PDB file of all heavy atoms in Angstrom:
ATOM      1  N   ALA A 138     -12.498  -9.393   9.628  1.00  0.00           N
ATOM      2  CA  ALA A 138     -12.120  -9.603   8.207  1.00  0.00           C
ATOM      3  C   ALA A 138     -12.307  -8.357   7.378  1.00  0.00           C
ATOM      4  O   ALA A 138     -11.475  -8.008   6.536  1.00  0.00           O
ATOM      5  CB  ALA A 138     -12.933 -10.762   7.652  1.00  0.00           C
ATOM      6  N   ALA A 139     -13.394  -7.623   7.632  1.00  0.00           N
ATOM      7  CA  ALA A 139     -13.631  -6.365   6.907  1.00  0.00           C
ATOM      8  C   ALA A 139     -12.566  -5.313   7.255  1.00  0.00           C
ATOM      9  O   ALA A 139     -12.075  -4.625   6.364  1.00  0.00           O
ATOM     10  CB  ALA A 139     -15.026  -5.827   7.226  1.00  0.00           C
ATOM     11  N   ASP A 140     -12.170  -5.250   8.504  1.00  0.00           N
ATOM     12  CA  ASP A 140     -11.138  -4.299   8.932  1.00  0.00           C
ATOM     13  C   ASP A 140      -9.821  -4.663   8.306  1.00  0.00           C
ATOM     14  O   ASP A 140      -9.088  -3.797   7.807  1.00  0.00           O
ATOM     15  CB  ASP A 140     -10.982  -4.300  10.459  1.00  0.00           C
ATOM     16  CG  ASP A 140     -12.160  -3.667  11.176  1.00  0.00           C
ATOM     17  OD1 ASP A 140     -12.981  -2.986  10.523  1.00  0.00           O
ATOM     18  OD2 ASP A 140     -12.292  -3.902  12.392  1.00  0.00           O
ATOM     19  N   ARG A 141      -9.511  -5.948   8.238  1.00  0.00           N
ATOM     20  CA  ARG A 141      -8.262  -6.400   7.624  1.00  0.00           C
ATOM     21  C   ARG A 141      -8.235  -6.063   6.146  1.00  0.00           C
ATOM     22  O   ARG A 141      -7.238  -5.588   5.612  1.00  0.00           O
ATOM     23  CB  ARG A 141      -8.166  -7.907   7.850  1.00  0.00           C
ATOM     24  CG  ARG A 141      -6.871  -8.527   7.353  1.00  0.00           C
ATOM     25  CD  ARG A 141      -6.876 -10.004   7.722  1.00  0.00           C
ATOM     26  NE  ARG A 141      -5.825 -10.691   7.086  1.00  0.00           N
ATOM     27  CZ  ARG A 141      -4.625 -10.896   7.606  1.00  0.00           C
ATOM     28  NH1 ARG A 141      -4.335 -10.462   8.801  1.00  0.00           N
ATOM     29  NH2 ARG A 141      -3.699 -11.568   6.925  1.00  0.00           N
ATOM     30  N   LEU A 142      -9.364  -6.252   5.452  1.00  0.00           N
ATOM     31  CA  LEU A 142      -9.438  -5.952   4.051  1.00  0.00           C
ATOM     32  C   LEU A 142      -9.276  -4.452   3.823  1.00  0.00           C
ATOM     33  O   LEU A 142      -8.565  -4.036   2.891  1.00  0.00           O
ATOM     34  CB  LEU A 142     -10.751  -6.450   3.477  1.00  0.00           C
ATOM     35  CG  LEU A 142     -10.921  -6.247   1.968  1.00  0.00           C
ATOM     36  CD1 LEU A 142      -9.828  -6.918   1.166  1.00  0.00           C
ATOM     37  CD2 LEU A 142     -12.301  -6.744   1.520  1.00  0.00           C
ATOM     38  N   ARG A 143      -9.858  -3.624   4.689  1.00  0.00           N
ATOM     39  CA  ARG A 143      -9.679  -2.174   4.556  1.00  0.00           C
ATOM     40  C   ARG A 143      -8.196  -1.772   4.725  1.00  0.00           C
ATOM     41  O   ARG A 143      -7.729  -0.923   4.025  1.00  0.00           O
ATOM     42  CB  ARG A 143     -10.539  -1.433   5.605  1.00  0.00           C
ATOM     43  CG  ARG A 143     -11.958  -1.183   5.117  1.00  0.00           C
ATOM     44  CD  ARG A 143     -12.691  -0.202   6.052  1.00  0.00           C
ATOM     45  NE  ARG A 143     -13.054  -0.837   7.321  1.00  0.00           N
ATOM     46  CZ  ARG A 143     -14.105  -1.598   7.512  1.00  0.00           C
ATOM     47  NH1 ARG A 143     -14.917  -1.858   6.511  1.00  0.00           N
ATOM     48  NH2 ARG A 143     -14.365  -2.096   8.703  1.00  0.00           N
ATOM     49  N   GLU A 144      -7.535  -2.445   5.671  1.00  0.00           N
ATOM     50  CA  GLU A 144      -6.085  -2.167   5.854  1.00  0.00           C
ATOM     51  C   GLU A 144      -5.288  -2.539   4.605  1.00  0.00           C
ATOM     52  O   GLU A 144      -4.389  -1.794   4.178  1.00  0.00           O
ATOM     53  CB  GLU A 144      -5.562  -2.934   7.075  1.00  0.00           C
ATOM     54  CG  GLU A 144      -6.088  -2.384   8.388  1.00  0.00           C
ATOM     55  CD  GLU A 144      -5.611  -3.241   9.559  1.00  0.00           C
ATOM     56  OE1 GLU A 144      -4.483  -3.739   9.521  1.00  0.00           O
ATOM     57  OE2 GLU A 144      -6.403  -3.392  10.512  1.00  0.00           O
ATOM     58  N   GLU A 145      -5.601  -3.710   4.053  1.00  0.00           N
ATOM     59  CA  GLU A 145      -4.933  -4.129   2.839  1.00  0.00           C
ATOM     60  C   GLU A 145      -5.158  -3.135   1.708  1.00  0.00           C
ATOM     61  O   GLU A 145      -4.225  -2.707   1.023  1.00  0.00           O
ATOM     62  CB  GLU A 145      -5.486  -5.481   2.346  1.00  0.00           C
ATOM     63  CG  GLU A 145      -4.934  -6.675   3.055  1.00  0.00           C
ATOM     64  CD  GLU A 145      -5.245  -7.939   2.313  1.00  0.00           C
ATOM     65  OE1 GLU A 145      -4.675  -8.139   1.197  1.00  0.00           O
ATOM     66  OE2 GLU A 145      -6.022  -8.722   2.791  1.00  0.00           O
ATOM     67  N   LEU A 146      -6.402  -2.760   1.551  1.00  0.00           N
ATOM     68  CA  LEU A 146      -6.776  -1.828   0.495  1.00  0.00           C
ATOM     69  C   LEU A 146      -6.089  -0.485   0.653  1.00  0.00           C
ATOM     70  O   LEU A 146      -5.607   0.097  -0.315  1.00  0.00           O
ATOM     71  CB  LEU A 146      -8.312  -1.652   0.439  1.00  0.00           C
ATOM     72  CG  LEU A 146      -8.852  -0.866  -0.706  1.00  0.00           C
ATOM     73  CD1 LEU A 146      -8.458  -1.423  -2.054  1.00  0.00           C
ATOM     74  CD2 LEU A 146     -10.390  -0.773  -0.595  1.00  0.00           C
ATOM     75  N   ALA A 147      -6.005   0.027   1.874  1.00  0.00           N
ATOM     76  CA  ALA A 147      -5.374   1.295   2.126  1.00  0.00           C
ATOM     77  C   ALA A 147      -3.893   1.259   1.696  1.00  0.00           C
ATOM     78  O   ALA A 147      -3.385   2.224   1.075  1.00  0.00           O
ATOM     79  CB  ALA A 147      -5.503   1.684   3.600  1.00  0.00           C
ATOM     80  N   LEU A 148      -3.209   0.190   2.014  1.00  0.00           N
ATOM     81  CA  LEU A 148      -1.799   0.074   1.604  1.00  0.00           C
ATOM     82  C   LEU A 148      -1.646   0.045   0.095  1.00  0.00           C
ATOM     83  O   LEU A 148      -0.784   0.739  -0.482  1.00  0.00           O
ATOM     84  CB  LEU A 148      -1.179  -1.193   2.204  1.00  0.00           C
ATOM     85  CG  LEU A 148      -0.785  -1.098   3.673  1.00  0.00           C
ATOM     86  CD1 LEU A 148      -0.450  -2.466   4.225  1.00  0.00           C
ATOM     87  CD2 LEU A 148       0.375  -0.129   3.866  1.00  0.00           C
ATOM     88  N   LEU A 149      -2.512  -0.690  -0.588  1.00  0.00           N
ATOM     89  CA  LEU A 149      -2.423  -0.788  -2.050  1.00  0.00           C
ATOM     90  C   LEU A 149      -2.828   0.512  -2.692  1.00  0.00           C
ATOM     91  O   LEU A 149      -2.237   0.954  -3.694  1.00  0.00           O
ATOM     92  CB  LEU A 149      -3.251  -1.933  -2.556  1.00  0.00           C
ATOM     93  CG  LEU A 149      -2.767  -3.339  -2.163  1.00  0.00           C
ATOM     94  CD1 LEU A 149      -3.642  -4.419  -2.760  1.00  0.00           C
ATOM     95  CD2 LEU A 149      -1.321  -3.531  -2.596  1.00  0.00           C
ATOM     96  N   GLU A 150      -3.833   1.179  -2.170  1.00  0.00           N
ATOM     97  CA  GLU A 150      -4.211   2.486  -2.714  1.00  0.00           C
ATOM     98  C   GLU A 150      -3.101   3.488  -2.541  1.00  0.00           C
ATOM     99  O   GLU A 150      -2.838   4.320  -3.425  1.00  0.00           O
ATOM    100  CB  GLU A 150      -5.502   2.999  -2.062  1.00  0.00           C
ATOM    101  CG  GLU A 150      -6.743   2.254  -2.567  1.00  0.00           C
ATOM    102  CD  GLU A 150      -8.003   2.655  -1.836  1.00  0.00           C
ATOM    103  OE1 GLU A 150      -7.919   3.219  -0.720  1.00  0.00           O
ATOM    104  OE2 GLU A 150      -9.098   2.442  -2.404  1.00  0.00           O
ATOM    105  N   GLY A 151      -2.414   3.445  -1.403  1.00  0.00           N
ATOM    106  CA  GLY A 151      -1.241   4.288  -1.165  1.00  0.00           C
ATOM    107  C   GLY A 151      -0.161   4.034  -2.198  1.00  0.00           C
ATOM    108  O   GLY A 151       0.436   4.946  -2.765  1.00  0.00           O
ATOM    109  N   ALA A 152       0.073   2.754  -2.454  1.00  0.00           N
ATOM    110  CA  ALA A 152       1.108   2.383  -3.436  1.00  0.00           C
ATOM    111  C   ALA A 152       0.736   2.907  -4.836  1.00  0.00           C
ATOM    112  O   ALA A 152       1.566   3.452  -5.573  1.00  0.00           O
ATOM    113  CB  ALA A 152       1.279   0.867  -3.489  1.00  0.00           C
ATOM    114  N   GLN A 153      -0.536   2.767  -5.196  1.00  0.00           N
ATOM    115  CA  GLN A 153      -1.004   3.263  -6.501  1.00  0.00           C
ATOM    116  C   GLN A 153      -0.836   4.781  -6.602  1.00  0.00           C
ATOM    117  O   GLN A 153      -0.401   5.272  -7.641  1.00  0.00           O
ATOM    118  CB  GLN A 153      -2.475   2.891  -6.686  1.00  0.00           C
ATOM    119  CG  GLN A 153      -2.700   1.409  -6.883  1.00  0.00           C
ATOM    120  CD  GLN A 153      -4.168   1.070  -6.900  1.00  0.00           C
ATOM    121  OE1 GLN A 153      -4.987   1.832  -7.396  1.00  0.00           O
ATOM    122  NE2 GLN A 153      -4.501  -0.073  -6.350  1.00  0.00           N
ATOM    123  N   GLN A 154      -1.147   5.496  -5.535  1.00  0.00           N
ATOM    124  CA  GLN A 154      -1.016   6.960  -5.558  1.00  0.00           C
ATOM    125  C   GLN A 154       0.455   7.338  -5.736  1.00  0.00           C
ATOM    126  O   GLN A 154       0.785   8.212  -6.503  1.00  0.00           O
ATOM    127  CB  GLN A 154      -1.585   7.586  -4.298  1.00  0.00           C
ATOM    128  CG  GLN A 154      -1.540   9.105  -4.332  1.00  0.00           C
ATOM    129  CD  GLN A 154      -2.361   9.675  -5.474  1.00  0.00           C
ATOM    130  OE1 GLN A 154      -3.511   9.332  -5.685  1.00  0.00           O
ATOM    131  NE2 GLN A 154      -1.720  10.557  -6.252  1.00  0.00           N
ATOM    132  N   HIS A 155       1.326   6.634  -5.017  1.00  0.00           N
ATOM    133  CA  HIS A 155       2.759   6.908  -5.155  1.00  0.00           C
ATOM    134  C   HIS A 155       3.219   6.678  -6.581  1.00  0.00           C
ATOM    135  O   HIS A 155       3.997   7.460  -7.149  1.00  0.00           O
ATOM    136  CB  HIS A 155       3.595   6.069  -4.189  1.00  0.00           C
ATOM    137  CG  HIS A 155       3.450   6.483  -2.742  1.00  0.00           C
ATOM    138  ND1 HIS A 155       3.585   7.783  -2.296  1.00  0.00           N
ATOM    139  CD2 HIS A 155       3.205   5.734  -1.663  1.00  0.00           C
ATOM    140  CE1 HIS A 155       3.443   7.809  -1.016  1.00  0.00           C
ATOM    141  NE2 HIS A 155       3.181   6.576  -0.603  1.00  0.00           N
ATOM    142  N   LEU A 156       2.724   5.614  -7.197  1.00  0.00           N
ATOM    143  CA  LEU A 156       3.086   5.330  -8.608  1.00  0.00           C
ATOM    144  C   LEU A 156       2.599   6.456  -9.534  1.00  0.00           C
ATOM    145  O   LEU A 156       3.338   6.876 -10.397  1.00  0.00           O
ATOM    146  CB  LEU A 156       2.539   4.002  -9.044  1.00  0.00           C
ATOM    147  CG  LEU A 156       3.227   2.740  -8.500  1.00  0.00           C
ATOM    148  CD1 LEU A 156       2.453   1.480  -8.829  1.00  0.00           C
ATOM    149  CD2 LEU A 156       4.641   2.664  -9.043  1.00  0.00           C
ATOM    150  N   ARG A 157       1.365   6.903  -9.316  1.00  0.00           N
ATOM    151  CA  ARG A 157       0.845   7.990 -10.131  1.00  0.00           C
ATOM    152  C   ARG A 157       1.690   9.253  -9.960  1.00  0.00           C
ATOM    153  O   ARG A 157       1.876  10.034 -10.912  1.00  0.00           O
ATOM    154  CB  ARG A 157      -0.617   8.268  -9.757  1.00  0.00           C
ATOM    155  CG  ARG A 157      -1.587   7.296 -10.341  1.00  0.00           C
ATOM    156  CD  ARG A 157      -3.017   7.757 -10.142  1.00  0.00           C
ATOM    157  NE  ARG A 157      -3.453   7.777  -8.773  1.00  0.00           N
ATOM    158  CZ  ARG A 157      -3.969   6.757  -8.115  1.00  0.00           C
ATOM    159  NH1 ARG A 157      -4.109   5.594  -8.680  1.00  0.00           N
ATOM    160  NH2 ARG A 157      -4.342   6.906  -6.865  1.00  0.00           N
ATOM    161  N   ASP A 158       2.228   9.466  -8.734  1.00  0.00           N
ATOM    162  CA  ASP A 158       3.009  10.625  -8.455  1.00  0.00           C
ATOM    163  C   ASP A 158       4.492  10.440  -8.854  1.00  0.00           C
ATOM    164  O   ASP A 158       5.306  11.334  -8.652  1.00  0.00           O
ATOM    165  CB  ASP A 158       2.977  10.967  -6.958  1.00  0.00           C
ATOM    166  CG  ASP A 158       1.575  11.382  -6.502  1.00  0.00           C
ATOM    167  OD1 ASP A 158       0.747  11.793  -7.363  1.00  0.00           O
ATOM    168  OD2 ASP A 158       1.304  11.358  -5.273  1.00  0.00           O
ATOM    169  N   GLY A 159       4.813   9.269  -9.394  1.00  0.00           N
ATOM    170  CA  GLY A 159       6.212   9.002  -9.790  1.00  0.00           C
ATOM    171  C   GLY A 159       7.132   8.703  -8.630  1.00  0.00           C
ATOM    172  O   GLY A 159       8.351   8.726  -8.778  1.00  0.00           O
ATOM    173  N   LYS A 160       6.568   8.358  -7.494  1.00  0.00           N
ATOM    174  CA  LYS A 160       7.379   8.073  -6.278  1.00  0.00           C
ATOM    175  C   LYS A 160       7.522   6.569  -6.144  1.00  0.00           C
ATOM    176  O   LYS A 160       6.853   5.937  -5.307  1.00  0.00           O
ATOM    177  CB  LYS A 160       6.710   8.683  -5.059  1.00  0.00           C
ATOM    178  CG  LYS A 160       6.587  10.196  -5.117  1.00  0.00           C
ATOM    179  CD  LYS A 160       5.859  10.738  -3.937  1.00  0.00           C
ATOM    180  CE  LYS A 160       5.755  12.263  -4.035  1.00  0.00           C
ATOM    181  NZ  LYS A 160       4.945  12.777  -2.923  1.00  0.00           N
ATOM    182  N   ILE A 161       8.358   5.997  -6.947  1.00  0.00           N
ATOM    183  CA  ILE A 161       8.508   4.553  -7.040  1.00  0.00           C
ATOM    184  C   ILE A 161       9.033   3.941  -5.727  1.00  0.00           C
ATOM    185  O   ILE A 161       8.528   2.894  -5.308  1.00  0.00           O
ATOM    186  CB  ILE A 161       9.440   4.161  -8.205  1.00  0.00           C
ATOM    187  CG1 ILE A 161       8.983   4.827  -9.519  1.00  0.00           C
ATOM    188  CG2 ILE A 161       9.538   2.656  -8.364  1.00  0.00           C
ATOM    189  CD1 ILE A 161       7.537   4.632  -9.880  1.00  0.00           C
ATOM    190  N   ALA A 162       9.963   4.566  -5.091  1.00  0.00           N
ATOM    191  CA  ALA A 162      10.527   4.059  -3.850  1.00  0.00           C
ATOM    192  C   ALA A 162       9.439   3.962  -2.785  1.00  0.00           C
ATOM    193  O   ALA A 162       9.341   2.946  -2.064  1.00  0.00           O
ATOM    194  CB  ALA A 162      11.703   4.913  -3.340  1.00  0.00           C
ATOM    195  N   GLN A 163       8.603   5.000  -2.690  1.00  0.00           N
ATOM    196  CA  GLN A 163       7.519   4.955  -1.682  1.00  0.00           C
ATOM    197  C   GLN A 163       6.466   3.902  -2.063  1.00  0.00           C
ATOM    198  O   GLN A 163       5.928   3.220  -1.185  1.00  0.00           O
ATOM    199  CB  GLN A 163       6.833   6.325  -1.553  1.00  0.00           C
ATOM    200  CG  GLN A 163       7.656   7.361  -0.826  1.00  0.00           C
ATOM    201  CD  GLN A 163       8.346   8.296  -1.797  1.00  0.00           C
ATOM    202  OE1 GLN A 163       8.715   7.934  -2.920  1.00  0.00           O
ATOM    203  NE2 GLN A 163       8.496   9.516  -1.377  1.00  0.00           N
ATOM    204  N   ALA A 164       6.191   3.761  -3.352  1.00  0.00           N
ATOM    205  CA  ALA A 164       5.279   2.718  -3.770  1.00  0.00           C
ATOM    206  C   ALA A 164       5.779   1.348  -3.397  1.00  0.00           C
ATOM    207  O   ALA A 164       5.049   0.514  -2.840  1.00  0.00           O
ATOM    208  CB  ALA A 164       5.031   2.808  -5.272  1.00  0.00           C
ATOM    209  N   ASN A 165       7.078   1.120  -3.647  1.00  0.00           N
ATOM    210  CA  ASN A 165       7.661  -0.189  -3.302  1.00  0.00           C
ATOM    211  C   ASN A 165       7.633  -0.418  -1.818  1.00  0.00           C
ATOM    212  O   ASN A 165       7.421  -1.558  -1.350  1.00  0.00           O
ATOM    213  CB  ASN A 165       9.072  -0.293  -3.860  1.00  0.00           C
ATOM    214  CG  ASN A 165       9.089  -0.599  -5.351  1.00  0.00           C
ATOM    215  OD1 ASN A 165       8.215  -1.271  -5.827  1.00  0.00           O
ATOM    216  ND2 ASN A 165      10.030  -0.015  -6.055  1.00  0.00           N
ATOM    217  N   ARG A 166       7.855   0.639  -0.984  1.00  0.00           N
ATOM    218  CA  ARG A 166       7.782   0.474   0.459  1.00  0.00           C
ATOM    219  C   ARG A 166       6.363   0.043   0.883  1.00  0.00           C
ATOM    220  O   ARG A 166       6.214  -0.847   1.698  1.00  0.00           O
ATOM    221  CB  ARG A 166       8.170   1.745   1.178  1.00  0.00           C
ATOM    222  CG  ARG A 166       9.656   1.887   1.416  1.00  0.00           C
ATOM    223  CD  ARG A 166       9.995   2.944   2.423  1.00  0.00           C
ATOM    224  NE  ARG A 166       9.744   4.291   1.953  1.00  0.00           N
ATOM    225  CZ  ARG A 166      10.530   5.002   1.155  1.00  0.00           C
ATOM    226  NH1 ARG A 166      11.655   4.463   0.741  1.00  0.00           N
ATOM    227  NH2 ARG A 166      10.226   6.216   0.791  1.00  0.00           N
ATOM    228  N   ALA A 167       5.366   0.679   0.310  1.00  0.00           N
ATOM    229  CA  ALA A 167       3.968   0.301   0.652  1.00  0.00           C
ATOM    230  C   ALA A 167       3.674  -1.146   0.215  1.00  0.00           C
ATOM    231  O   ALA A 167       3.004  -1.886   0.960  1.00  0.00           O
ATOM    232  CB  ALA A 167       2.973   1.265   0.006  1.00  0.00           C
ATOM    233  N   LEU A 168       4.169  -1.540  -0.940  1.00  0.00           N
ATOM    234  CA  LEU A 168       3.952  -2.905  -1.407  1.00  0.00           C
ATOM    235  C   LEU A 168       4.675  -3.917  -0.544  1.00  0.00           C
ATOM    236  O   LEU A 168       4.145  -4.974  -0.250  1.00  0.00           O
ATOM    237  CB  LEU A 168       4.396  -3.013  -2.871  1.00  0.00           C
ATOM    238  CG  LEU A 168       3.506  -2.232  -3.862  1.00  0.00           C
ATOM    239  CD1 LEU A 168       4.229  -2.067  -5.179  1.00  0.00           C
ATOM    240  CD2 LEU A 168       2.153  -2.878  -4.006  1.00  0.00           C
ATOM    241  N   ARG A 169       5.897  -3.616  -0.087  1.00  0.00           N
ATOM    242  CA  ARG A 169       6.619  -4.485   0.807  1.00  0.00           C
ATOM    243  C   ARG A 169       5.930  -4.588   2.127  1.00  0.00           C
ATOM    244  O   ARG A 169       5.856  -5.662   2.762  1.00  0.00           O
ATOM    245  CB  ARG A 169       8.081  -4.034   1.000  1.00  0.00           C
ATOM    246  CG  ARG A 169       8.973  -4.359  -0.185  1.00  0.00           C
ATOM    247  CD  ARG A 169      10.443  -4.129   0.130  1.00  0.00           C
ATOM    248  NE  ARG A 169      10.755  -2.812   0.619  1.00  0.00           N
ATOM    249  CZ  ARG A 169      11.052  -1.750  -0.149  1.00  0.00           C
ATOM    250  NH1 ARG A 169      11.092  -1.908  -1.466  1.00  0.00           N
ATOM    251  NH2 ARG A 169      11.335  -0.589   0.388  1.00  0.00           N
ATOM    252  N   GLU A 170       5.384  -3.478   2.634  1.00  0.00           N
ATOM    253  CA  GLU A 170       4.646  -3.488   3.874  1.00  0.00           C
ATOM    254  C   GLU A 170       3.392  -4.356   3.770  1.00  0.00           C
ATOM    255  O   GLU A 170       3.085  -5.119   4.660  1.00  0.00           O
ATOM    256  CB  GLU A 170       4.261  -2.031   4.270  1.00  0.00           C
ATOM    257  CG  GLU A 170       3.447  -1.947   5.544  1.00  0.00           C
ATOM    258  CD  GLU A 170       4.178  -2.366   6.810  1.00  0.00           C
ATOM    259  OE1 GLU A 170       5.387  -2.548   6.812  1.00  0.00           O
ATOM    260  OE2 GLU A 170       3.494  -2.515   7.842  1.00  0.00           O
ATOM    261  N   HIS A 171       2.722  -4.249   2.639  1.00  0.00           N
ATOM    262  CA  HIS A 171       1.545  -5.118   2.418  1.00  0.00           C
ATOM    263  C   HIS A 171       1.999  -6.579   2.444  1.00  0.00           C
ATOM    264  O   HIS A 171       1.343  -7.395   3.095  1.00  0.00           O
ATOM    265  CB  HIS A 171       0.876  -4.783   1.081  1.00  0.00           C
ATOM    266  CG  HIS A 171      -0.382  -5.556   0.838  1.00  0.00           C
ATOM    267  ND1 HIS A 171      -0.348  -6.846   0.351  1.00  0.00           N
ATOM    268  CD2 HIS A 171      -1.657  -5.253   1.067  1.00  0.00           C
ATOM    269  CE1 HIS A 171      -1.596  -7.273   0.258  1.00  0.00           C
ATOM    270  NE2 HIS A 171      -2.414  -6.327   0.701  1.00  0.00           N
ATOM    271  N   ALA A 172       3.074  -6.913   1.782  1.00  0.00           N
ATOM    272  CA  ALA A 172       3.571  -8.294   1.764  1.00  0.00           C
ATOM    273  C   ALA A 172       3.956  -8.769   3.149  1.00  0.00           C
ATOM    274  O   ALA A 172       3.714  -9.920   3.485  1.00  0.00           O
ATOM    275  CB  ALA A 172       4.740  -8.409   0.786  1.00  0.00           C
ATOM    276  N   ARG A 173       4.538  -7.881   3.915  1.00  0.00           N
ATOM    277  CA  ARG A 173       4.956  -8.257   5.280  1.00  0.00           C
ATOM    278  C   ARG A 173       3.735  -8.469   6.165  1.00  0.00           C
ATOM    279  O   ARG A 173       3.669  -9.497   6.874  1.00  0.00           O
ATOM    280  CB  ARG A 173       5.824  -7.142   5.884  1.00  0.00           C
ATOM    281  CG  ARG A 173       6.387  -7.493   7.272  1.00  0.00           C
ATOM    282  CD  ARG A 173       7.077  -6.308   7.898  1.00  0.00           C
ATOM    283  NE  ARG A 173       6.207  -5.218   8.280  1.00  0.00           N
ATOM    284  CZ  ARG A 173       5.384  -5.241   9.350  1.00  0.00           C
ATOM    285  NH1 ARG A 173       5.318  -6.297  10.127  1.00  0.00           N
ATOM    286  NH2 ARG A 173       4.592  -4.206   9.648  1.00  0.00           N
ATOM    287  N   ARG A 174       2.755  -7.593   6.109  1.00  0.00           N
ATOM    288  CA  ARG A 174       1.592  -7.678   6.996  1.00  0.00           C
ATOM    289  C   ARG A 174       0.542  -8.668   6.494  1.00  0.00           C
ATOM    290  O   ARG A 174      -0.169  -9.267   7.320  1.00  0.00           O
ATOM    291  CB  ARG A 174       0.948  -6.303   7.143  1.00  0.00           C
ATOM    292  CG  ARG A 174       1.818  -5.376   7.959  1.00  0.00           C
ATOM    293  CD  ARG A 174       1.275  -3.987   8.104  1.00  0.00           C
ATOM    294  NE  ARG A 174      -0.096  -4.008   8.659  1.00  0.00           N
ATOM    295  CZ  ARG A 174      -0.908  -2.947   8.583  1.00  0.00           C
ATOM    296  NH1 ARG A 174      -0.503  -1.834   8.005  1.00  0.00           N
ATOM    297  NH2 ARG A 174      -2.091  -3.010   9.091  1.00  0.00           N
TER     298      ARG A 174
END
């Protein structure tokens, strides 16, 4: 469960970083991947 939560968090942190960098398409890809997984 802890490993799974870390994986979830990594995807969301990646999405947040992409948003801060103005990379909306990459952020949306990370968010879709989170939703899929």
Side-chain angles (χ1 to χ4, degrees):
D140 290 344
R141 184 176 170 93
L142 184 57
R143 274 191 287 280
E144 290 176 35
E145 280 194 69
L146 187 57
L148 282 168
L149 293 181
E150 286 175 338
Q153 291 172 36
Q154 184 61 51
H155 289 310
L156 286 171
R157 282 190 293 274
D158 294 342
K160 298 176 180 176
I161 307 309
Q163 287 101 326
N165 282 325
R166 273 195 290 280
L168 293 164
R169 283 192 305 272
E170 178 66 11
H171 184 277
R173 184 187 69 76
R174 290 178 56 196

